[in-house]
């Protein structure tokens, strides 16, 4: 089976593949869980960025108002209005416009977690025992963002399987979300040091926390650890671009 890279994923999502390529790629998707996850994550990144960059109706209305003011005060015929009044109007509009741009600037710098941090916990029950029940219950609370209820469940699970990368990864995120950052980071670093499917997702979340906390240097350092063929590569590239 052909190996696919990030460029192939982008071409697939954007519909830029030839029919034969498309058939081969979709066949690979059905057999390669990591490739499928990469495609889904790229779609999520594109959707998030599109939502953040969509046109602002308020800004457009302000532009329309300014155009109307210009037509009113600078038309070639008709009465001449007071220039001082016009300056006041433009000054107020400029202040509003400046406020909009400042709001957007600071929102961009502090909204990384909202954009990239919506993670769902997915587990597969295979043994049907009490440990699986713990994971299933934890997943329900995790996906409802009830992180304080997730932690004790995963604590109990890790007492029976201390090496579970799944439990460590999701507990690390839950701990960070509840403010226990250092403890959560330790869990994620353990996952990074292992060889599970969550290895680079853990790296990305560590980088994401640093980006949210305005630790730009640390965030970029962690993002550099994610290889181009990792499932988290697409959103890592998007976050790195925003940070630069």
């Amino acid at each position: 089976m052909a190996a696919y890279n990030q460029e192939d994923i982008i071409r697939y999502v954007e519909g830029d593949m030839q029919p034969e390529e498309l058939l081969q790629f979709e066949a690979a998707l059905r057999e390669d869980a990591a490739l499928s996850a990469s495609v889904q994550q790229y779609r999520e990144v594109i959707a998030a960025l599109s939502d953040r960059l969509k046109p602002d109706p308020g800004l457009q209305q302000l532009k329309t108002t300014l155009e109307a003011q210009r037509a009113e005060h600078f038309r070639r015929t008709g009465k001449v209005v007071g220039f001082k009044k016009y300056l006041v109007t433009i000054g107020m509009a400029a202040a509003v416009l400046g406020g909009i741009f400042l709001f957007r600037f600071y929102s961009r710098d502090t909204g990384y977690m909202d954009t990239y941090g919506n993670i769902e916990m997915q587990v597969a029950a295979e043994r049907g025992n009490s440990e699986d029940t713990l994971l299933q219950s934890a997943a329900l609370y995790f996906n409802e963002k009830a992180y304080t209820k997730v932690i004790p469940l995963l604590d109990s699970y890790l007492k029976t399987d201390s090496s579970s990368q799944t439990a460590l990864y999701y507990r690390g995120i839950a701990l960070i979300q509840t403010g226990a950052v250092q403890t959560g980071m330790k869990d994620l670093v353990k996952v990074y040091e292992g060889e599970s499917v969550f290895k680079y997702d853990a790296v990305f979340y560590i980088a994401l926390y640093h980006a949210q906390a305005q630790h730009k240097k640390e965030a970029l350092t962690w993002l550099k650890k994610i290889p181009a063929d990792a499932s988290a590569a697409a959103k890592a590239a998007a976050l790195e671009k925003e940070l630069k």
Side-chain angles (χ1 to χ4, degrees), residues 31-100:
E31 298 180 17
D32 189 337
L35 179 62
S36 179
S38 296
V39 169
Q40 180 59 32
Q41 288 180 343
Y42 181 75
R43 282 175 170 155
E44 289 172 1
V45 170
I46 295 300
L49 291 176
S50 296
D51 183 65
R52 291 179 72 184
L53 297 175
K54 63 186 179 183
D56 185 333
L59 182 58
Q60 185 58 46
Q61 181 59 45
L62 180 58
K63 289 180 179 178
T64 302
T65 300
L66 288 173
E67 289 294 332
Q69 290 282 354
R70 184 175 66 179
E72 172 66 23
H73 295 289
F74 287 106
R75 62 178 182 265
R76 294 181 179 180
T77 59
K79 65 179 182 180
V80 178
V81 299
F83 187 63
K84 183 177 181 180
K85 179 180 178 181
Y86 176 72
L87 286 178
V88 171
T89 302
I90 293 300
M92 291 175 64
V96 173
L97 187 60
I100 290 172

Side-chain angles (χ1 to χ4, degrees), residues 150-168:
V150 172
I151 296 168
L153 292 171
L154 294 181
D155 285 344
S156 297
Y157 185 88
L158 285 163
K159 287 178 182 178
T160 64
D161 184 3
S162 61
S163 64
S164 171
Q165 301 296 290
T166 300
L168 283 171

Side-chain angles (χ1 to χ4, degrees), residues 145-219:
K145 303 187 186 306
Y147 299 113
T148 56
K149 296 180 179 179
V150 172
I151 296 168
L153 292 171
L154 294 181
D155 285 344
S156 297
Y157 185 88
L158 285 163
K159 287 178 182 178
T160 64
D161 184 3
S162 61
S163 64
S164 171
Q165 301 296 290
T166 300
L168 283 171
Y169 173 63
Y170 289 112
R171 188 179 71 171
I173 293 174
L175 285 164
I176 291 172
Q177 288 286 354
T178 56
V181 175
Q182 294 305 315
T183 307
M185 286 290 193
K186 288 179 181 178
D187 279 353
L188 295 180
V189 170
K190 285 180 183 178
V191 176
Y192 164 60
E193 291 174 345
E195 293 299 330
S196 76
V197 295
F198 297 107
K199 179 182 179 74
Y200 294 112
D201 293 292
V203 173
F204 178 78
Y205 203 89
I206 293 171
L208 180 61
Y209 167 76
H210 284 300
Q212 182 69 24
Q214 300 297 294
H215 305 154
K216 180 179 176 180
K217 183 178 179 181
E218 291 84 350

